[in-house]
Amino acid sequence: ANRTCRFTQRPSEAAFHYLATASYNLADQIELVCYTDGSASVQEYEIEVKGPLDSDFSLLTSVSPNGTDFIHYNDGAVFPDQGAYQYRINLIDSCGHVGFVTNVARTVFLEVQTDHVAMINTLSWSSYSGFDGAITAYRIYRGINGVFDANPLAITSAGVRSYEDDVSAYLQSEGQFCYRVEAVESLNSYNLAETAFSNTV
């Protein structure tokens, strides 16, 4: 027979696909922000999670493209007191295959020990991992009787992940002290500089 030729255009691949941050909000949800090429041929994004007690990643949910370079998702099915959570996001291309997988983002896990006699709260936290840029500092925020101060109580360098808070001056308060720690990223290769909050204790 005669020969017939057709030229087909390959679906466009993503130029970038990066999990920018995994950060707790005050509602004890973990907010995920994925920076991905919105012009690429994408069927869906698979969000995978590895909990503190899990041995491997499992599928959390699938999210459809929204036509922009940012995908947002809040995970409310978490237990903040158990440990750090890890996330990654798979890009499913127009053929239904995994095209790209993001970096793994691991949340900051904060723990607090209280000396009721000395009235000192000792904070210790795990490092955030997953930023493309370097961590420049950790900001510590304190809430008294349910109200968080907008300004940090203290700022530590990236290598310091503990802090002692003397609350003896608040002897007449209701005695409820809440803490959260924020990891601060330097400007990265994607021209982003994100932050990531720990769980609230």
Side-chain angles (χ1 to χ4, degrees):
N2 58 309
R3 185 175 64 178
T4 300
C5 299
R6 295 288 186 272
F7 292 94
T8 58
Q9 184 178 2
R10 183 179 181 178
S12 58
E13 294 184 348
F16 51 90
H17 185 56
Y18 167 63
L19 183 50
T21 187
S23 177
Y24 273 95
N25 59 27
L26 287 172
D28 284 336
Q29 299 172 328
I30 299 177
E31 300 179 354
L32 306 178
V33 179
C34 182
Y35 179 51
T36 187
D37 188 355
S39 64
S41 298
V42 179
Q43 188 177 109
E44 62 182 2
Y45 299 96
E46 290 181 345
I47 301 176
E48 294 187 323
V49 62
K50 182 179 179 182
L53 306 179
D54 297 335
S55 59
D56 204 353
F57 283 90
S58 60
L59 179 64
L60 174 62
T61 189
S62 296
V63 179
S64 299
N66 59 15
T68 73
D69 289 346
F70 287 94
I71 301 295
H72 296 264
Y73 182 80
N74 288 1
D75 182 10
V78 297
F79 299 91
D81 59 339
Q82 289 187 355
Y85 280 79
Q86 299 179 67
Y87 295 89
R88 66 188 181 195
I89 300 179
N90 304 327
L91 182 155
I92 308 302
D93 63 22
S94 56
C95 296
H97 302 138
V98 176
F100 292 96
V101 180
T102 65
N103 52 303
V104 174
R106 187 183 65 203
T107 60
V108 179
F109 177 56
L110 172 64
E111 296 179 286
V112 179
Q113 301 294 326
T114 299
D115 185 331
H116 295 283
V117 177
M119 300 191 73
I120 293 176
N121 294 325
T122 301
L123 287 66
S124 59
W125 59 92
S126 64
S127 61
Y128 180 89
S129 69
F131 283 147
D132 179 67
I135 295 177
T136 61
Y138 288 99
R139 298 173 183 153
I140 301 165
Y141 293 85
R142 179 179 65 190
I144 301 177
N145 301 331
V147 180
F148 269 96
D149 195 325
N151 298 313
L153 168 69
I155 300 175
T156 73
S157 63
V160 177
R161 296 195 303 275
S162 64
Y163 180 79
E164 288 189 351
D165 183 26
D166 185 344
V167 295
S168 59
Y170 299 93
L171 186 62
Q172 302 305 317
S173 77
E174 294 178 14
Q176 185 193 67
F177 299 94
C178 296
Y179 299 92
R180 60 201 305 238
V181 174
E182 180 185 36
V184 182
E185 181 191 21
S186 64
L187 190 67
N188 63 33
S189 62
Y190 299 97
N191 205 32
L192 300 173
E194 290 288 346
T195 61
F197 276 102
S198 72
N199 54 310
T200 300
V201 179

